Amino acid sequence: MTHDPRDAERLARAALTRIVEPGDEQAGRALRVHGATGLLALLRDPGGAPLPGTAPRRLAGWRHRARTTAPEADLDHITRLGGRFLVPGDPDWPTQLDDLGDARPLGLWTRGPAALRTWALRSVALVGARACTPYGAHTAADLAAGLSRHGWVVVSGAAYGIDGAAHRGALAAGGATAAVLASGVDTPYPRGHSGLLDRIAQQGLLIGELPPGSHPTPSRFILRNRVIAALTRGTVVVEAQHRSGSLVTARAATRLGRHTMGVPGPVTSALSAGVHELLRGGATLVTDADEIVELVGAIGDLAPARRGPVLPRDLLHPAAAQVLEALPAHPPAPATEIARRAGTTPDDALARLYELHALGHAERDGDGWRLTNSGKPVSNARRGGP
């Protein structure tokens, strides 16, 4: 039987996800030099040579963990869950993660039926405060539903608050959503989102750098954010304080050349202060899904023009509108006076007055004309006499 080097590469990378923390650039540099199988062999060798640039204490920790890894068991477990372990070079590996350089994930553990590479090419991150306001939750759900209707994938971190609202908004609209976790994809966190995570695993994708059974830590949440930023075409922040992990995601997106967007909130709200800071720093202000798609989508995906409601007087001919502007509310004025105010002839003014009368804008009052009294119904019947 021919040995497939890809199998050895996958086993080595699966083992390394238990040995080094996500986003460790020293491990990334060593991986680039030695390859996954070579690095694992070096770490499992009790008398192995030191790694240049790696502190002895850190290297000792890696070697200690390397002695107890069982990647075959982890791969069997993820397969039983209906998941996969993706590594660079796989057809479904999202190559935009390569922009992270030495901080690129060693591999990605996933659960769900979707093709990650295809989804990532048309995805937007929606992130924000955990302790969000009702305004923030409503806005996040509405944006997610709108993006889903446009055929975009909503990516977030499955946390309470904005993240959960974004996932639910996409699911409620029958859309696609993916959650990037700071734990193993078989370890629901937060516990209160167990049901939501199960729905995402059935209809979308759960994604994580950590092997099955791993639990989150504060640093893992922060490191997870770089994956959200790199994976998507752009990041939208909905409510964030000045010190917020959501801003870490947005700044990572900026460094990676992705679009960075923010939804404004009340200037008196501390939960929107971080978003406003982001907007002052050059992020794009967005208020609905159309504006997001215009930014991240293809050429021609333009948001509809914004304008107020069309009023009946907006449809008038300019000459009629000019006479309407000259009409008094009270007392009525003769047609000759209205013509003088409108800068037209008495005959033209009179013709326009009858047109305005027919449309309900003007009415006769004795020998004069005035604006229609909105407090009483207006008859379209023409009264005789000029």
Side-chain angles (χ1 to χ4, degrees):
M1 181 181 293
T2 303
H3 177 68
D4 186 350
R6 293 289 300 164
D7 293 339
E9 171 86 1
R10 194 177 309 278
L11 277 171
R13 285 181 175 269
L16 289 169
T17 64
R18 284 214 178 269
I19 296 168
V20 302
E21 282 293 302
D24 190 318
E25 293 191 54
Q26 291 187 18
R29 285 191 290 272
L31 181 67
R32 180 159 41 85
V33 172
H34 299 280
T37 54
L39 177 59
L40 181 61
L42 188 151
L43 295 178
R44 283 177 168 173
D45 182 358
L51 290 174
T54 303
R57 185 174 179 179
R58 174 176 291 191
L59 183 56
W62 290 352
R63 285 190 162 132
H64 175 73
R65 289 190 290 274
R67 290 195 294 270
T68 59
T69 56
E72 296 89 350
D74 285 335
L75 291 171
D76 287 345
H77 182 59
I78 197 67
T79 300
R80 287 195 301 273
L81 291 174
R84 295 169 293 165
F85 179 61
L86 299 174
V87 299
D90 283 345
D92 206 18
W93 178 261
T95 54
Q96 58 266 49
L97 292 178
D98 298 346
D99 294 345
L100 292 169
D102 288 335
R104 181 182 72 173
L106 299 166
L108 290 175
W109 302 87
T110 69
R111 286 178 62 197
L116 176 56
R117 180 185 174 91
T118 303
W119 272 27
L121 292 173
R122 195 174 170 84
S123 65
V124 174
L126 286 181
V127 297
R130 285 176 171 80
C132 67
T133 66
Y135 159 78
H138 172 81
T139 300
D142 190 59
L143 290 176
L147 288 166
S148 296
R149 286 190 288 269
H150 282 288
W152 284 77
V153 179
V154 174
V155 177
S156 199
Y160 290 130
I162 296 300
D163 288 18
H167 290 306
R168 290 189 181 95
L171 291 169
T177 189
V180 182
L181 307 180
S183 61
V185 293
D186 64 336
T187 308
Y189 189 90
R191 288 288 182 183
H193 277 177
S194 295
L196 175 61
L197 291 167
D198 284 342
R199 286 185 65 197
I200 296 173
Q202 292 165 13
Q203 299 175 230
L205 275 175
L206 299 180
I207 305 162
E209 295 179 79
L210 292 157
S214 300
H215 294 273
T217 63
S219 63
R220 287 172 174 177
F221 282 116
I222 296 300
L223 291 164
R224 175 272 308 273
N225 293 343
R226 84 195 193 288
V227 177
I228 294 177
L231 200 60
T232 53
R233 296 287 297 274
T235 294
V236 183
V237 183
V238 185
E239 292 195 324
Q241 294 184 334
H242 280 298
R243 292 174 60 85
S244 168
S246 304
L247 298 183
V248 173
T249 309
R251 289 168 184 146
T254 300
R255 288 194 302 271
L256 292 165
R258 311 295 196 262
H259 295 288
T260 307
M261 296 154 275
V263 177
V267 296
T268 54
S269 171
L271 278 172
S272 289
V275 180
H276 297 159
E277 177 190 358
L278 197 67
L279 293 171
R280 282 173 54 82
T284 302
L285 187 152
V286 292
T287 60
D288 61 23
D290 288 330
E291 292 174 351
I292 297 171
V293 171
E294 179 179 86
L295 197 62
V296 302
I299 294 173
D301 287 342
L302 300 179
R306 301 290 193 263
R307 58 172 297 167
V310 177
L311 302 175
R313 65 176 54 200
D314 295 335
L315 305 176
L316 294 174
H317 186 279
Q322 195 170 350
V323 172
L324 181 62
E325 290 293 329
L327 268 174
H330 193 79
T336 53
E337 174 62 18
I338 294 169
R340 186 186 66 77
R341 293 178 186 175
T344 187
T345 66
D347 287 344
D348 181 64
L350 189 59
R352 298 298 179 185
L353 285 168
Y354 278 119
E355 177 185 342
L356 292 169
H357 172 67
L359 294 171
H361 295 296
E363 62 181 17
R364 284 288 299 271
D365 190 335
D367 292 332
W369 292 83
R370 64 185 176 87
L371 289 169
T372 297
N373 183 354
S374 59
K376 67 177 184 179
V378 178
S379 169
N380 281 332
R382 180 180 295 184
R383 303 180 194 177

